[in-house]
Amino acid sequence: MKILAVIPARAGSKGIPNKNIRIIGGHPLIYYSIKNTLESRYITDVIVSTDSQEVKIIAGQMGIKVKWRDSSLCGDAITLDAVIADAIPEGNWDYIITMQPTSPTLHVSTLDAAIKYTIDNNLDTVISVINAPHLSWIEKDGKKIPSYSERLNRQYLPPYYIETGAFVISRASVVTPKTRIGTKVDVYEVSKNESQDIDTFEDLRNVAAVLDRQKVAIYVNGNNKRGMGHIYRALELADEFYVKPDIYYDINQTNLNVFGKTTHKLVPVNGIAELFEKCKEKRYTIFINDILTTSIDYMIGLRSVLPHAKIVNFEDDGEGAIKADLVFNALFHESNYPQVYAGEKYYISGKTFMFYKPIEIRDKVKKVFISFGGADPQNYSDRLLSMVCKPEYKEYHFVVVLGRAKYNVDELMDYNKYNNIEVFHDVSNMPELMSSCDIGVTSRGRTGYELAILGIPSISMAQNEREEKHGFVCNENGFTYIGLDPADEIIESNLKMYLSMSKETRERFKNMLLSHDLRGGRKRIMSLINAL
């Protein structure tokens, strides 16, 4: 079977000058139509009809024949039927396909599916369309009237097909200088992304956005030992892209439940080998690691399956960091490599915290916030609850939040029997609970930053040796840091000190906490990622 594709590409575009040769997505616009015809499983021959020397050069460089178009066929009033008929060389063609150069987002798989559909159904003509049902109006006898009989939600409206201009597949016998439409006609539906047809500068901007669209993946793990800050940050990051990232997690390290009720795409993998295999098929442009520490071998392996991707690592103090394009270590203050950005300036705040103002310091402490992140491996929550349930603390109110990865939640929820203690599990609005409190008790991870954003004076302690290295949650910045696994008497003595602390001292701590710009980290990070 002989199938000819004709690409009409004249030089005289007035709406967008030089439209067919404009560079978009790194290539001239006409490149995409030529590429689809060359990669098609069905198209046997291709010819470009043009009066443009530049188009002739591009077509020649891609190995495509050119039919020089006479000036009589270049006017605005000339129909495309005449142009296509003129371009067809002698031969016994079965089908002639008009391929417009203004539809660069069309996939070759869609084109081939449409050709197969035409052949299988013995059709004379098939036109590319998008199904876009809308409540619409028409004019009849000088009046504007609805074109529908019943108002329905869009998904219940009957199909409404709009031509995209991407392709017209015609049996060769029906193509004349006046028509390419035969008797047996059908349409072939393409997706919204593939329906882009460039007529205006707005169309040009939309197509550029599609062609330059990032393809993003995030690999993250979180558990009782590793902590949950990685999971929370990954979900915040996922919302910053104008695409829906694939979020990978290792089923041997992370329970699906720790992601909560997110609607982001979660992809389980059974080890690194399966992760690499999946990545090889996807061709991501950006790959983000939030897995605590990377090795040289892991990063080399990732580079081998994603050679063109930009790799961004978070909180990575492993040897693999030197192989990343960007590394953000908000919990550390120093950087040994130029691609590493360290310090609290690169902390990503939860979106809900951006809507809350810092607390007002009251004359006396009445309410205490207690939380140790998503996992609390040192069981600080248990120890604090066993302290504050004593009668001597009954005049104070304690709000205790347990994270998603805490293992003995049911046991600790029993503390709700005390009138002055409220225990919550996996709350959806942390800033609401925090901002109702006067002081806080927390670890040195994400929760410390959240308390600082709200200006809440807090006691902190490390959960592990890694947290001991975290720089922001420290005495110099307005916290009272009491170390890793301090004795109960140390915890309790500091708690009592805070409960009796003067308003003036708490105001000073608040001002120290608020002197750091923790709300701008998200913008700084995304600016650097998008600049890669």
Side-chain angles (χ1 to χ4, degrees), residues 217 219 275 279 284 286-289 298 302 306 310-312:
Y219 180 42
L275 172 68
C279 288
Y284 296 109
I286 295 178
F287 192 95
I288 296 173
N289 291 297
Y298 167 79
L302 187 59
L306 294 173
K310 298 299 183 181
I311 299 178
V312 181

Side-chain angles (χ1 to χ4, degrees), residues 280-298:
K280 192 185 301 182
E281 303 168 0
K282 296 289 188 176
R283 299 181 182 179
Y284 296 109
T285 59
I286 295 178
F287 192 95
I288 296 173
N289 291 297
D290 203 337
I291 53 175
L292 196 62
T293 300
T294 63
S295 67
I296 290 285
D297 289 344
Y298 167 79

Side-chain angles (χ1 to χ4, degrees), residues 98-111:
T98 306
M99 290 286 296
Q100 292 281 22
T102 53
S103 298
T105 57
L106 179 70
H107 297 164
V108 67
S109 58
T110 303
L111 173 63

Side-chain angles (χ1 to χ4, degrees), residues 23-27 32 104-105 204-216 241-243 285-286 530 532:
I23 303 299
I24 180 170
H27 299 283
Y32 298 97
T105 57
L204 200 62
R205 284 191 294 271
N206 291 340
V207 167
V210 172
L211 292 177
D212 294 333
R213 180 174 293 167
Q214 296 167 321
K215 195 166 186 181
V216 182
F241 294 96
Y242 297 126
V243 294
T285 59
I286 295 178
N530 290 327
L532 284 173

Side-chain angles (χ1 to χ4, degrees), residues 203-442:
D203 296 334
L204 200 62
R205 284 191 294 271
N206 291 340
V207 167
V210 172
L211 292 177
D212 294 333
R213 180 174 293 167
Q214 296 167 321
K215 195 166 186 181
V216 182
I218 300 173
Y219 180 42
V220 61
N221 286 306
N223 50 46
N224 186 276
K225 183 178 180 180
R226 188 187 300 263
M228 291 295 295
H230 309 279
I231 302 293
Y232 300 138
R233 178 170 48 235
L235 294 176
E236 290 290 341
L237 269 173
D239 284 347
E240 289 302 306
F241 294 96
Y242 297 126
V243 294
K244 194 171 186 177
D246 293 332
I247 302 179
Y248 293 94
Y249 67 96
D250 191 329
I251 58 174
N252 304 297
Q253 303 180 54
T254 303
N255 189 306
L256 176 62
N257 293 333
V258 302
F259 289 97
K261 297 179 180 180
T262 182
T263 56
H264 278 291
K265 183 180 179 182
L266 304 176
V267 185
V269 292
N270 187 5
I272 297 299
E274 185 176 352
L275 172 68
F276 286 176
E277 194 60 34
K278 287 181 179 292
C279 288
K280 192 185 301 182
E281 303 168 0
K282 296 289 188 176
R283 299 181 182 179
Y284 296 109
T285 59
I286 295 178
F287 192 95
I288 296 173
N289 291 297
D290 203 337
I291 53 175
L292 196 62
T293 300
T294 63
S295 67
I296 290 285
D297 289 344
Y298 167 79
M299 291 296 290
I300 291 174
L302 187 59
R303 286 283 188 198
S304 70
V305 296
L306 294 173
H308 304 297
K310 298 299 183 181
I311 299 178
V312 181
N313 295 0
F314 280 83
E315 309 309 338
D316 184 5
D317 63 350
E319 293 180 344
I322 64 174
K323 296 290 186 181
D325 295 293
L326 273 179
V327 179
F328 295 104
N329 280 335
L331 299 176
F332 299 93
H333 279 297
E334 296 180 357
S335 164
N336 296 322
Y337 305 106
Q339 79 274 28
V340 178
Y341 292 81
E344 67 269 11
K345 287 172 61 178
Y346 303 101
Y347 164 72
I348 296 179
S349 163
K351 287 183 289 296
T352 53
F353 282 86
M354 308 296 281
F355 298 99
Y356 282 78
K357 296 179 180 179
I359 65 167
E360 294 292 331
I361 300 296
R362 292 187 282 209
D363 291 337
K364 292 185 177 181
V365 172
K366 297 180 180 179
K367 205 169 183 179
V368 182
F369 179 85
I370 299 172
S371 183
F372 296 96
D376 188 15
Q378 289 289 341
N379 293 320
Y380 288 136
S381 303
D382 312 47
R383 294 165 65 182
L384 263 295
L385 282 166
S386 67
M387 293 177 195
V388 302
C389 68
K390 293 184 288 189
E392 62 185 288
Y393 296 105
K394 64 181 180 180
E395 63 182 282
Y396 302 100
H397 193 88
F398 296 91
V399 176
V400 182
V401 176
L402 310 176
R404 291 175 192 163
K406 192 76 170 79
Y407 71 90
N408 59 338
V409 172
D410 291 340
E411 174 188 336
L412 298 183
M413 294 296 283
D414 285 343
Y415 281 93
N416 278 305
K417 66 186 178 185
Y418 294 94
N419 293 330
N420 65 323
I421 296 175
E422 288 183 283
V423 184
F424 299 90
H425 176 235
D426 188 22
V427 301
S428 59
N429 195 349
M430 282 282 274
E432 183 71 22
L433 290 178
M434 285 184 177
S435 59
S436 69
C437 297
D438 301 294
I439 61 172
V441 187
T442 190

Side-chain angles (χ1 to χ4, degrees), residues 21-40:
I21 61 172
R22 284 193 177 232
I23 303 299
I24 180 170
H27 299 283
L29 182 56
I30 194 173
Y31 161 89
Y32 298 97
S33 294
I34 295 176
K35 182 173 181 288
N36 277 339
T37 61
L38 291 174
E39 293 182 353
S40 169

